[in-house]
Amino acid sequence: MSVTGTKETMLSPPNMKRGVRRLSSVIATLDDLSLGPSVVVPPQHMEQPSDAHETAAALEMAKRHISRISANEPISTPTTPPATSTTDAYAFAFDIDGVLIRGGEAIPEAIEAMKILNGQNQYGVKIPYIFVTNGGGKSEEERCLDLSRQLHMEVSPGQFICGHTPMREMAERYGTVLVVGGEGEKCRQVAEGYGFKDVCTPGDIIKDNVNTTPFRKLTKDEQEHSRKRNFGEVEIEAVFVFADSRDWAGDQQIILDLLMSKKGRLGTRSETFDEGPPIFFSHNDMVWATSHDHTRLGMGALRASLEAVFKAMTKKEMKSTAFGKPQVGTFQFATRLLQQWRKDVHGIDSPPQTVYFVGDTPESDIRGTNEFNESPLCENTWYSILVRTGVFREGTKPGFTPMATVDNVLEAVKHGIQREVAKAMKSQIIDGNGEGPGVILEEDQLQDATITDD
């Protein structure tokens, strides 16, 4: 039965997860997604089962379980896992920009790659997948709406890990914070959604003192949405760069004013330049892929610029913290999410044996995957695959060497699956009675299954 016309349905085909709402990607809003466990569905699939539903819904619930565990709330996991055709042995993690999307449009091979993961392959098996992006300025829910519309498929907010996702865990630590970057009020809304209690923006500061940024004047819309307050009486406890700056000059001026202030009070200057608030960046990507022929500057470039100006003005090094890829914390969170998914779906309290991370940026995607895989914190194998559809260009040598290099995300998915098939064949998987799903193979079959990494 439809609950709100074409926006929401509680229809329960055999492969649908109970308690998870299906919302139309065309008319669903962020408020709709905030009301409980949800997946976002292209309207043409609202009244019928979706191959992608099981993975999307299970990861939505797994992420909510992690949040409850972090809050010391009990959760219940079924003692008898439900029937599933989804493998527990391996999973995929995808960067978004340059891998699945370029210039706001789906890369053609991405749609086919998702179909294969959702069971449209010669083995009839589904493979779990998540999205790990450094792109900021949008909540996981908004990212979900965007990607469902772009790829024309069912996805859930639980499948998304953004560069600023770990920042939600800092909401209880700081009171008044400055949030920088993004379009309009979006970053303020994301921060408030994460639980930050008192969020101000550069627009608020300029509204209070128009002389703060000599060359930037607020637009009519910015004047309307910026909040008036006396910043001479406010102590800003931390600075969070949630997304790429839309005004480097103005944002840098305000950030530097705070870093050189006494305890985050604008209009003051510290004599030692070490009394200002801490600053956090949601990622450290120097460049990123857009529809332009060449890569564009990213948040890492803003960070480098701030460091250079701060040192020139104070003769000291700027202290800052970056999240996102290649930081270890992002990969640890992704591992916890996949482990919880595996526990919920398969009753196994450990992460999948292998996670194939598909990215286009050697300095963040490949470096982060490789370094996490080699660290003592990694409990399984993280396997890096570099695609040529984004930042990386053929004929150049990546700064960090991937375990495999392919043309596009479709080839990356095929590579990972073929590698798993080869591993299964070589290990001659047989259960205790010799009657399991594996078979004993002849030597020529083993050779046919061998995969060679670039």
Side-chain angles (χ1 to χ4, degrees):
M1 177 182 68
S2 294
V3 177
T4 56
T6 58
K7 176 184 285 189
E8 176 177 340
T9 180
M10 294 299 288
L11 185 70
S12 297
N15 68 334
M16 285 186 62
K17 186 100 174 168
R18 285 187 173 275
V20 178
R21 299 171 307 144
R22 303 176 83 229
L23 303 174
S24 168
S25 62
V26 172
I27 57 177
T29 67
L30 297 180
D31 287 340
D32 295 327
L33 287 170
S34 70
L35 297 177
S38 308
V39 294
V40 178
V41 189
Q44 65 268 29
H45 298 311
M46 282 294 289
E47 300 298 329
Q48 60 186 359
S50 162
D51 290 341
H53 177 81
E54 181 183 345
T55 292
L59 280 159
E60 171 74 355
M61 296 306 297
K63 197 170 187 180
R64 288 176 177 269
H65 288 168
I66 288 177
S67 297
R68 292 178 62 184
I69 291 170
S70 299
N72 294 317
E73 297 178 10
I75 67 168
S76 59
T77 300
T79 55
T80 303
T84 179
S85 61
T86 305
T87 180
D88 71 285
Y90 62 107
F92 279 83
F94 298 99
D95 180 33
I96 296 178
D97 292 313
V99 175
L100 303 173
I101 305 296
R102 187 181 178 95
E105 300 293 332
I107 292 172
E109 293 83 3
I111 295 175
E112 186 64 27
M114 293 298 108
K115 290 179 180 179
I116 290 176
L117 293 176
N118 289 320
Q120 295 184 34
N121 55 66
Q122 66 188 92
Y123 309 103
V125 65
K126 293 182 179 181
I127 302 153
Y129 50 92
I130 58 175
F131 309 104
V132 185
T133 176
N134 277 348
K138 295 182 179 181
S139 65
E140 293 82 353
E141 288 77 13
E142 190 170 359
R143 286 277 173 189
C144 176
L145 287 170
D146 288 344
L147 197 64
S148 179
R149 295 162 183 164
Q150 291 162 331
L151 294 182
H152 309 291
M153 63 176 286
E154 183 168 355
V155 291
S156 72
Q159 291 174 279
F160 289 78
I161 300 174
C162 300
H164 48 60
T165 298
M167 289 180 176
R168 69 171 64 238
E169 299 177 357
M170 309 181 79
E172 296 298 322
R173 189 182 308 177
Y174 298 105
T176 303
V177 300
L178 174 70
V179 167
V180 177
E183 299 176 354
E185 293 288 292
K186 285 186 177 180
C187 285
R188 192 199 310 260
Q189 293 163 2
V190 173
E192 291 176 341
Y194 282 0
F196 285 94
K197 302 175 184 63
D198 186 15
V199 181
C200 58
T201 68
D204 298 345
I205 294 171
I206 298 171
K207 187 171 186 175
D208 178 53
N209 184 350
V210 295
N211 297 316
T212 300
T213 53
F215 304 113
R216 177 184 174 185
K217 306 302 177 185
L218 297 182
T219 65
K220 182 179 179 180
D221 187 64
E222 289 173 330
Q223 281 282 4
E224 180 182 347
H225 290 97
S226 296
R227 301 172 184 175
K228 180 66 176 177
R229 65 194 300 179
N230 182 359
F231 281 95
E233 300 175 352
V234 175
E235 289 188 0
I236 295 176
E237 299 178 20
V239 178
F240 290 91
V241 184
F242 264 63
D244 289 314
S245 168
R246 268 53 176 179
D247 174 37
W248 273 39
D251 288 347
Q252 285 193 88
Q253 179 67 73
I254 291 170
I255 292 171
L256 288 166
D257 281 345
L258 284 170
L259 296 182
M260 296 188 293
S261 71
K262 294 181 179 180
K263 297 183 178 180
R265 192 178 289 269
L266 288 165
T268 66
R269 275 290 186 268
S270 169
E271 295 178 0
T272 59
F273 300 119
D274 58 6
E275 300 176 78
I279 180 169
F280 302 92
F281 295 84
S282 66
H283 65 84
N284 196 40
D285 283 355
M286 291 293 291
V287 296
W288 64 296
T290 70
S291 54
H292 196 276
D293 291 341
H294 300 287
T295 56
R296 304 288 87 186
L297 294 177
M299 191 181 299
L302 173 65
R303 185 186 186 193
S305 178
L306 279 165
E307 289 172 342
V309 177
F310 184 84
K311 187 170 184 178
M313 295 181 70
T314 67
K315 311 305 180 186
K316 291 189 173 183
E317 301 291 337
M318 186 185 91
K319 297 178 182 179
S320 63
T321 301
F323 296 99
K325 301 166 293 183
Q327 310 306 318
V328 168
T330 296
F331 293 88
Q332 285 181 294
F333 186 87
T335 299
R336 290 202 305 274
L337 175 59
L338 290 170
Q339 178 168 338
Q340 186 64 49
W341 167 85
R342 197 182 192 209
K343 182 178 181 181
D344 291 348
V345 174
H346 293 278
I348 303 172
D349 194 10
S350 61
Q353 297 163 13
T354 304
V355 179
Y356 292 93
F357 193 103
V358 185
D360 71 310
T361 309
E363 289 72 20
S364 59
D365 299 326
I366 304 308
R367 176 185 178 183
T369 305
N370 291 352
E371 290 182 352
F372 180 64
N373 184 59
E374 295 167 2
S375 78
L377 299 172
C378 187
E379 305 172 38
N380 53 352
T381 297
W382 279 72
Y383 184 100
S384 58
I385 304 179
L386 180 65
V387 295
R388 299 183 175 99
T389 51
V391 170
F392 176 68
R393 288 290 182 268
E394 187 64 29
T396 63
K397 183 178 181 180
F400 296 86
T401 305
M403 296 180 184
T405 301
V406 296
D407 287 336
N408 54 59
V409 66
L410 178 59
E411 295 305 314
V413 166
K414 290 179 178 179
H415 176 86
I417 294 174
Q418 290 168 1
R419 185 172 180 272
E420 290 297 315
V421 170
K423 284 164 59 179
M425 287 179 171
K426 288 181 179 180
S427 63
Q428 302 179 18
I429 300 175
I430 302 175
D431 68 15
N433 297 321
E435 299 175 351
V439 294
I440 298 176
L441 300 171
E442 300 298 332
E443 184 63 28
D444 60 341
Q445 292 175 295
L446 293 178
Q447 291 174 352
D448 289 342
T450 300
I451 300 298
T452 302
D453 297 342
D454 291 344

